[in-house]
């Protein structure tokens, strides 16, 4: 027993030592962040020139980037505050916008030029940075950093560099994405090297080599518009994430099983199983199964769900059109145009908010909205359930799907339909095949289009990899809405009068004309485009973005979130981007 007790104490000391090592390291890094923010505050207070202020800003954010992996994973709310977009954050629970703060707000105040009349605001924001860094310091002193969590956080940081770092999402004004990516990568390397047992593995040798090469490329600070993003991701970033997973296996550290969005054992952002869709759902009651999906498909094509058996879900969501409709807007039951274009249902499960205006939180509530809408299906769910309960076939299928002999319930109809819609996501486009090693899957023109999509055209700062929608990866905690300034018609002389998300949040002026950011997967099949179907072709869509959205067209769009400066894309570059987007069509 004495031997066992000594062994137990020895293990406890080892675990405590490892935890304290990460606490000590991270607290030291935050101290460096404190110092740099203090220098920034000092430069602002003493009216130093814009060059000095920018230098102190850069030093501060590089210090943050070295610990971004830990802040993003262990302190997500603080991460959103200290380095989120310079846009007020929507809080629907409180029915208000939370004013933007953090590094990106400071960035916009000093880039491309510093207006000294904003000194008071700049100083306020810098002091807020100090407060946030103090919060990080206190938390890092108290958190227990378990090895499995640390490794998962580091892997996700590599994904974050891929989706938000090198794309310029974090650096819209300064354009320093490669400088900051270098700091993030160095932070990953330093964190792994803390543990001698980790640094003595075969996987670490590969990790160290990949990191050094990737950092060297970033430190050259290559030209944003001509950088080969595709090669950088495939040659360095994706292999790096895979090697972190390999390191965990080599160390025999069990992967976390917490229903994460990206499972611990997944090492590639472009694996077909990268995203665990169940993580988007409240509990296991909602999880799709083969029986639920088959049942949902049967219901999807059944006109009994509408009044007078006149329409099914498939009437407006055609499988061959990526479950959208080849009309500017769908038609009501009387044959008159509805207000909005029918969104593709492919990848609909990867959103926090359904419909163009995001008014439904889940696909279950979306199905109810559509079925009971008097203009769309005008069904009555209680009556529908009564009809289904009279069908021996449906009773059998519901019993199989929900493992119960009780009568069919409304929630089961909703969930079965939602389960089928969630299954309409295969991640099997030629782009996906290329990212998994088939170098014949994409043409040179398509590869060029991807690099333009991520770089010069800035598309990836709203359509986040790998889903290419508005749900921010790699943590997938929120989905963004955007105000683009979409015109009423092709002439582009008037702003479309649809108020979008504002209709259901009339106290929030910033939501006027705001709509969800849909996926561009299968976009070649899902036209016409925009919430009102105003554009018939992808070339027209690209022309709209190239001009700077509604403001670029000369429209009065007070709250446009899309950058209004022209992209200066050539016709050849636009064609390359369109060609790439067509490579996102799922293969049979």
């Amino acid at each position: 027993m004495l031997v066992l007790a000594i062994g137990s104490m020895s293990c406890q000391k080892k675990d405590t030592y490892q935890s304290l090592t990460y606490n000590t390291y991270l607290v030291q890094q935050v101290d460096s962040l404190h110092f740099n923010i203090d220098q920034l505050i000092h430069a602002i207070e003493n009216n130093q020139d814009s060059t000095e202020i920018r230098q102190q800003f850069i030093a501060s954010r590089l210090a943050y980037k070295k610990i971004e992996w830990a802040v993003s994973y262990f302190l997500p709310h603080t991460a959103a505050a200290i380095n989120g977009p310079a846009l007020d954050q929507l809080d629907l629970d409180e029915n208000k916008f939370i004013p933007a703060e953090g590094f990106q707000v400071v960035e916009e105040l000093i880039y491309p030029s510093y207006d000294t009349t904003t000194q008071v605001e700049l100083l306020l924001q810098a002091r807020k940075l100090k407060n946030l860094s103090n919060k990080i310091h206190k938390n890092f002193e108290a958190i227990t950093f378990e090895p499995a969590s640390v490794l998962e956080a580091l892997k996700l940081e590599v994904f974050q560099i891929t989706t938000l770092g090198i794309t310029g999402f974090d650096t819209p004004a300064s354009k320093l994405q490669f400088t900051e990516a270098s700091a993030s990568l160095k932070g990953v390397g330093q964190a792994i090297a803390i543990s001698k047992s980790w640094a003595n593995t075969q996987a670490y040798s590969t990790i160290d080599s990949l990191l050094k090469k990737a950092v060297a490329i970033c430190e050259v600070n290559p030209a944003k518009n001509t950088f080969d993003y595709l090669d950088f991701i495939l040659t360095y970033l994706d292999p790096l994430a895979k090697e972190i997973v390999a390191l965990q296996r080599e160390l025999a550290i069990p992967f976390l099983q917490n229903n994460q969005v990206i499972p611990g054992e997944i090492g590639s952002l472009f694996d077909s199983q990268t995203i665990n869709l169940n993580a988007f759902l409240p509990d296991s009651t909602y999880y799709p199964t083969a029986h639920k999906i088959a049942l949902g498909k049967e219901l999807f094509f059944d006109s009994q769900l509408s009044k007078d058996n006149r329409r099914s879900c498939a009437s407006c969501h055609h499988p061959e059109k990526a479950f959208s409709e080849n009309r500017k807007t769908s038609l009501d039951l009387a044959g008159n145009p509805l207000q909005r274009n029918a969104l593709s249902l492919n990848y609909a499960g990867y959103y926090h908010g359904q419909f163009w205006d995001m008014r439904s939180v889940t696909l279950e509530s979306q199905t109810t909205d559509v079925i009971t809408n008097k203009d769309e299906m005008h069904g009555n769910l209680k009556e529908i359930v009564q009809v289904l309960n009279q069908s021996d076939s449906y009773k059998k299928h519901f019993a199989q799907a929900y493992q119960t002999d009780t009568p069919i319930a409304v929630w089961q109809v909703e969930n079965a339909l939602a389960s089928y819609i969630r299954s309409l996501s295969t991640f099997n486009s030629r782009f996906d095949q290329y990212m998994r090693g088939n170098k014949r899957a994409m043409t040179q023109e398509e590869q060029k289009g991807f690099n333009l999509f991520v770089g010069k055209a800035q598309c990836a700062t709203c359509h986040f990899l790998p889903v290419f929608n508005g749900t921010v990866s790699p943590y997938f905690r929120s989905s963004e809405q955007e105000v683009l300034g979409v015109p009423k018609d092709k002439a582009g002389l008037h702003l479309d009068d649809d108020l979008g998300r504002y209709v259901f949040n009339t106290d929030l002026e910033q939501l006027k004309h705001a709509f969800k950011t849909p996926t561009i997967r299968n976009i070649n099949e899902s036209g016409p485009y925009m919430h009102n179907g105003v554009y018939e072709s992808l070339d027209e869509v690209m022309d709209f973005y190239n001009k700077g959205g509604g403001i670029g067209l000369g429209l009065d769009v007070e709250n446009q979130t899309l950058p209004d400066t022209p992209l200066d894309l050539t016709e050849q570059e636009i064609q390359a981007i369109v060609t790439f987007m067509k490579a996102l069509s799922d293969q049979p």
Side-chain angles (χ1 to χ4, degrees):
M1 290 182 67
L2 177 61
V3 171
L4 288 173
I6 293 172
S8 175
M9 287 188 291
S10 175
C11 290
Q12 288 175 5
K13 285 182 179 179
K14 182 178 180 181
D15 290 343
T16 303
Y17 173 75
Q18 173 125 15
S19 176
L20 285 174
T21 300
Y22 276 102
N23 290 103
T24 302
Y25 165 74
L26 286 168
V27 167
Q28 289 173 347
Q29 294 298 313
V30 178
D31 286 341
S32 176
L33 175 61
H34 280 173
F35 173 78
N36 286 292
I37 293 175
D38 283 339
Q39 293 297 104
L40 173 62
I41 292 171
H42 177 78
I44 298 167
E45 286 177 331
N46 288 276
N47 297 307
Q48 295 186 359
D49 62 35
S50 58
T51 300
E52 179 64 21
I53 290 173
R54 287 198 196 100
Q55 287 177 346
Q56 298 305 332
F57 165 77
I58 292 169
S60 298
R61 194 150 67 175
L62 293 183
Y64 169 75
K65 283 290 180 173
K66 287 186 178 180
I67 58 170
E68 182 181 56
W69 64 270
V71 182
S72 294
Y73 186 89
F74 295 101
L75 305 172
H77 295 295
T78 305
I82 199 169
N83 199 41
L87 296 169
D88 295 347
Q89 298 301 301
L90 177 61
D91 185 342
L92 283 177
D93 292 333
E94 298 291 333
N95 194 40
K96 66 179 182 181
F97 273 97
I98 300 172
E101 60 181 337
F103 280 116
Q104 292 198 42
V105 175
V106 173
E107 180 182 335
E108 290 203 346
L109 290 171
I110 61 177
Y111 287 93
S113 61
Y114 171 42
D115 182 352
T116 54
T117 62
T118 65
Q119 182 192 22
V120 173
E121 174 62 18
L122 181 59
L123 186 58
L124 172 64
Q125 291 297 332
R127 286 172 175 162
K128 285 185 177 181
L129 286 176
K130 183 63 180 290
N131 291 336
L132 288 166
S133 68
N134 286 334
K135 184 176 181 180
I136 295 171
H137 194 285
K138 290 178 181 177
N139 279 282
F140 280 174
E141 287 180 322
I143 291 173
T144 300
F145 294 97
E146 299 294 343
S149 297
V150 169
L151 287 165
E152 184 164 88
L154 292 169
K155 179 190 73 175
L156 288 170
E157 176 61 18
V158 176
F159 292 160
Q160 187 159 328
I161 295 167
T162 305
T163 61
L164 306 182
I166 62 172
T167 64
F169 176 82
D170 281 349
T171 53
S174 67
K175 313 298 183 187
L176 293 172
Q177 63 261 46
F178 297 113
T179 301
E180 295 195 4
S182 174
S184 297
L185 290 166
K186 288 178 180 177
V188 170
Q190 289 173 5
I192 295 176
I194 286 173
S195 172
K196 290 183 179 180
S197 63
W198 293 13
N200 288 329
T201 60
Q202 183 177 349
Y204 177 75
S205 178
T206 306
I207 289 170
D208 187 50
S209 175
L210 287 168
L211 282 170
K212 286 177 179 176
K213 293 174 183 177
V215 166
I217 291 171
C218 289
E219 287 188 336
V220 175
N221 200 16
K224 169 182 179 291
N225 290 351
T226 57
F227 185 66
D228 193 339
Y229 296 90
L230 191 60
D231 180 71
F232 189 70
I233 292 169
L234 285 174
T235 305
Y236 302 106
L237 296 182
D238 216 43
L240 178 56
K242 290 176 183 175
E243 283 301 320
I244 291 174
V245 171
L247 171 63
Q248 187 163 348
R249 287 199 173 98
E250 189 175 346
L251 294 167
I253 297 172
F255 294 104
L256 297 176
Q257 302 296 329
N258 297 331
N259 197 35
Q260 310 98 299
V261 178
I262 299 181
E265 63 272 18
I266 296 294
S268 171
L269 190 61
F270 305 98
D271 190 289
S272 62
Q273 303 301 314
T274 292
I275 305 174
N276 168 28
L277 196 49
N278 287 344
F280 285 77
L281 307 179
D283 57 61
S284 59
T285 306
Y286 291 81
Y287 293 178
T289 64
H291 285 304
K292 285 184 181 181
I293 291 168
L295 174 58
K297 182 176 182 179
E298 190 175 0
L299 291 166
F300 190 86
F301 291 91
D302 193 338
S303 60
Q304 291 184 93
L305 272 62
S306 68
K307 186 176 183 179
D308 301 328
N309 300 336
R310 295 173 60 188
R311 178 175 285 182
S312 71
C313 302
S315 297
C316 298
H317 296 280
H318 307 152
E320 70 278 6
K321 291 292 297 176
F323 291 86
S324 66
E325 188 172 21
N326 190 22
R327 294 178 184 273
K328 184 176 180 181
T329 63
S330 296
L331 303 179
D332 65 16
L333 291 168
N336 301 311
L338 290 167
Q339 186 179 23
R340 295 174 185 160
N341 175 260
L343 266 171
S344 167
L345 295 181
N346 284 145
Y347 301 90
Y350 300 90
Y351 291 97
H352 300 281
Q354 302 297 330
F355 296 109
W356 279 106
D357 53 32
M358 304 174 74
R359 66 183 181 271
S360 289
V361 176
T362 66
L363 283 169
E364 279 79 4
S365 58
Q366 180 191 41
T367 61
T368 297
D369 192 308
V370 173
I371 290 172
T372 60
N373 188 298
K374 65 181 181 62
D375 295 319
E376 297 185 40
M377 294 180 74
H378 206 184
N380 182 304
L381 278 165
K382 289 184 179 179
E383 294 176 0
I384 289 168
V385 165
Q386 289 176 354
V387 171
L388 296 178
N389 274 308
Q390 294 172 8
S391 165
D392 291 337
S393 174
Y394 267 125
K395 285 194 293 184
K396 176 184 176 181
H397 292 163
F398 271 94
Q400 287 178 329
Y402 293 94
Q403 297 294 297
T404 178
D405 293 328
T406 58
I408 298 167
V410 168
W411 76 268
Q412 294 172 336
V413 175
E414 296 170 340
N415 180 242
L417 282 165
S419 296
Y420 174 59
I421 294 170
R422 290 184 179 110
S423 76
L424 305 177
S425 313
T426 61
F427 293 97
N428 189 36
S429 69
R430 288 190 294 106
F431 166 78
D432 296 301
Q433 294 168 16
Y434 184 89
M435 300 305 282
R436 294 170 198 151
N438 180 4
K439 295 306 181 232
R440 297 182 178 181
M442 284 208 304
T443 66
Q444 288 290 326
E445 181 78 354
E446 290 163 345
Q447 295 171 44
K448 176 184 176 183
F450 174 85
N451 285 329
L452 287 163
F453 181 94
V454 175
K456 185 176 180 179
Q458 305 173 49
C459 309
T461 60
C462 291
H463 295 276
F464 303 104
L465 280 63
V467 187
F468 292 90
N469 70 352
T471 303
V472 187
S473 53
Y475 287 95
F476 301 93
R477 293 170 180 141
S478 62
S479 299
E480 294 192 343
Q481 69 278 328
E482 300 288 348
V483 179
L484 306 178
V486 175
K488 192 168 189 173
D489 52 42
K490 284 187 185 182
L493 301 177
H494 302 283
L495 183 66
D496 187 77
D497 56 10
D498 190 337
L499 293 176
R501 201 166 185 182
Y502 176 75
V503 173
F504 296 92
N505 304 274
T506 53
D507 293 334
L508 306 175
E509 293 284 325
Q510 288 164 283
L511 288 179
K512 284 186 176 178
H513 307 289
F515 297 91
K516 80 186 291 183
T517 303
T519 182
I520 59 166
R521 285 181 173 272
N522 297 305
I523 195 169
N524 191 47
E525 289 73 42
S526 60
Y529 306 104
M530 305 300 188
H531 67 272
N532 57 358
V534 64
Y535 295 127
E536 296 176 14
S537 71
L538 292 173
D539 296 81
E540 292 173 345
V541 173
M542 286 305 304
D543 180 67
F544 169 76
Y545 284 115
N546 197 30
K547 290 176 178 175
I551 292 177
L553 294 178
L555 305 180
D556 182 13
V557 193
E558 182 179 353
N559 57 331
Q560 181 170 310
T561 57
L562 178 75
D564 56 20
T565 52
L567 297 172
D568 295 325
L569 295 166
T570 66
E571 285 296 325
Q572 292 78 14
E573 288 172 333
I574 287 175
Q575 285 307 308
I577 295 170
V578 169
T579 301
F580 160 68
M581 289 194 288
K582 292 178 180 179
L584 287 169
S585 294
D586 285 318
Q587 302 300 292

